[in-house]
Amino acid sequence: AVVSTQSTGAEIEKLQLDLDSTKDETADLTQKNKCLEAKIAELKEEHAAKKKKQEEDYDNQRRAKQKLQFQEAKLCTKKVNIEKTLEPVEVHKLQIEELKKEVEFNKNEREEVKKIYQTEMNKLDNAKAKLAFQKKTWEKKLQAAREEHLKLNANCINIRESSRKQLFDKELLLNRLVLDTKRCTKSIPELEASMAVLEKMVKE
């Protein structure tokens, strides 16, 4: 019966600790969820602002392009009309020079785009590597914290069980002393009365 009582008490202690741990984890996750909800709202608002500006920039750039294309078309028409008045050989020379310039421009533009792309990819790779390192570091810290939590939790259970067992054992001894005291309190007057009768019989 004593062993059964101690076992049940230990189970109660463990259940209480598990309950407290669950409450703490729930409160922690609830707070984290609130922070994430606020972050999501912030990201949506930030995205909406960036999207609006991007659309405005796109519209302005589109109009500027249309305006330049219209100007370009007018100049091309004017150029063709002028070329018609020149010798075909001279026109051909001019077209070759223009083509060389266009090829050089396209080459430089391609290199510039490639450089911008490479710069952005390097930024992303660096950010990815940095986050991966930080994630690995915090995973180690998290694992260490979990192990420490389990260790402390087990230690807490052991201390509570040990303390409860000591108190329980002492309580049994105390109850035994109380019972013995009551027995002595009852038996002493009876013994004294019996002794008085015996002593009287001896004197007679």
Side-chain angles (χ1 to χ4, degrees), residues 14-204:
K14 187 177 184 308
L15 284 171
Q16 183 62 53
L17 282 173
D18 289 343
L19 175 60
D20 292 342
S21 178
T22 302
K23 286 181 178 179
D24 291 341
E25 186 176 357
T26 301
D28 184 51
L29 287 174
T30 300
Q31 184 60 38
K32 286 181 179 178
N33 288 341
K34 288 181 180 178
C35 292
L36 284 174
E37 287 173 355
K39 184 66 176 177
I40 289 170
E42 181 183 341
L43 287 172
K44 286 183 177 179
E45 185 177 345
E46 182 181 345
H47 173 70
K50 287 182 178 179
K51 185 178 179 182
K52 182 180 178 182
K53 185 178 185 306
Q54 188 182 54
E55 289 174 350
E56 290 174 352
D57 291 344
Y58 177 82
D59 189 55
N60 291 334
Q61 193 66 38
R62 181 180 58 80
R63 291 184 182 185
K65 176 191 172 185
Q66 287 177 342
K67 184 177 180 180
L68 289 173
Q69 280 181 328
F70 179 72
Q71 185 178 351
E72 182 184 37
K74 285 176 65 177
L75 289 172
C76 285
T77 301
K78 188 175 181 181
K79 177 173 172 285
V80 169
N81 291 332
I82 294 174
E83 286 174 347
K84 288 179 180 178
T85 63
L86 300 174
E87 291 293 329
V89 176
E90 294 300 321
V91 173
H92 187 61
K93 287 181 180 179
L94 286 174
Q95 289 175 341
I96 291 174
E97 288 300 318
E98 288 174 356
L99 186 61
K100 285 181 180 179
K101 289 179 182 179
E102 186 176 352
V103 169
E104 186 64 23
F105 175 81
N106 289 336
K107 181 181 177 182
N108 292 336
E109 186 180 55
R110 185 176 69 251
E111 289 298 320
E112 187 65 24
V113 170
K114 184 179 178 182
K115 191 183 296 182
I116 292 171
Y117 173 79
Q118 193 60 47
T119 300
E120 289 301 315
M121 287 303 298
N122 288 338
K123 286 181 182 178
L124 291 173
D125 288 341
N126 290 337
K128 182 181 176 182
K130 183 178 179 181
L131 287 172
F133 176 77
Q134 290 179 343
K135 180 175 179 284
K136 191 173 181 180
T137 301
W138 278 103
E139 282 176 345
K140 289 181 179 179
K141 291 181 179 180
L142 176 61
Q143 183 61 31
R146 283 173 175 169
E147 291 175 358
E148 182 67 13
H149 174 73
L150 290 174
K151 180 181 175 182
L152 291 172
N153 198 47
N155 190 31
C156 185
I157 290 174
N158 290 335
I159 289 174
R160 285 187 175 183
E161 287 182 354
S162 175
S163 300
R164 188 188 54 77
K165 185 178 182 301
Q166 289 179 10
L167 293 173
F168 181 78
D169 291 345
K170 201 69 174 180
E171 185 68 21
L172 287 178
L173 291 174
L174 177 60
N175 290 336
R176 184 63 190 176
L177 287 174
V178 171
L179 290 174
D180 288 344
T181 301
K182 287 182 178 180
R183 182 185 56 77
C184 290
T185 302
K186 181 182 178 182
S187 66
I188 287 174
E190 292 177 350
L191 286 171
E192 288 176 343
S194 180
M195 285 289 294
V197 172
L198 290 173
E199 288 174 353
K200 184 178 180 181
M201 290 174 64
V202 169
K203 287 179 181 179
E204 292 177 354

